[in-house]
Amino acid sequence: MRSDPTLLVHGVQGRSDDAQIDGYVRYLDDADCFVIEAAAGGGRNVAVWPPGTTVWMDGVAVAGVDVPDRDPIAIGSRLTGGGGYANPDTTDLDPPEVAADCLSGGGEFALIHAISTVTPPG
């Protein structure tokens, strides 16, 4: 496993209800990205976390993310919240380059502003 996973964070301010974010937190080791896989069987969006978020490690394995002011969020958890989406082809936010596997089914960058619920895996 990789010991220095890439974690995208944002400083974009927005209302928490701009857009609904609902899906499963995954880390794609080969592509080096955290994603939100749509809960309703849609695509995959690159997760862009609130400021101060860090990678949660279990030894050398990625266990999830540690978002300020809440318990760590484990890989495989279902996350619901609010934020916004940025299409990598049309946004003016200048998103970083990510592997094609990080975006699928019309995927975008999911800028997470507020987290409503987290349901752990299992």
Side-chain angles (χ1 to χ4, degrees):
M1 299 286 284
R2 149 187 330 271
S3 61
D4 59 342
T6 299
L7 180 80
L8 300 179
V9 296
H10 68 82
V12 176
Q13 298 303 311
R15 296 190 334 255
S16 64
D17 61 353
D18 286 348
Q20 181 178 4
I21 295 174
D22 183 2
Y24 295 93
V25 177
R26 307 274 191 237
Y27 176 70
L28 307 179
D29 188 56
D30 291 343
D32 186 28
C33 58
F34 284 89
V35 298
I36 303 293
E37 288 187 346
R44 179 184 292 156
N45 298 299
V46 174
V48 187
W49 300 94
T53 302
T54 58
V55 177
W56 173 31
M57 300 293 292
D58 182 7
V60 297
V62 175
V65 294
D66 194 359
V67 179
D69 302 322
R70 68 177 312 114
D71 290 335
I73 300 171
I75 297 297
S77 296
R78 184 172 179 176
L79 178 148
T80 60
Y85 290 92
N87 184 307
D89 297 324
T90 61
T91 185
D92 58 357
L93 295 177
D94 192 28
E97 291 289 323
V98 296
D101 286 347
C102 301
L103 298 164
S104 68
E108 299 179 308
F109 287 85
L111 287 76
I112 302 164
H113 295 170
I115 298 170
S116 303
T117 61
V118 174
T119 306

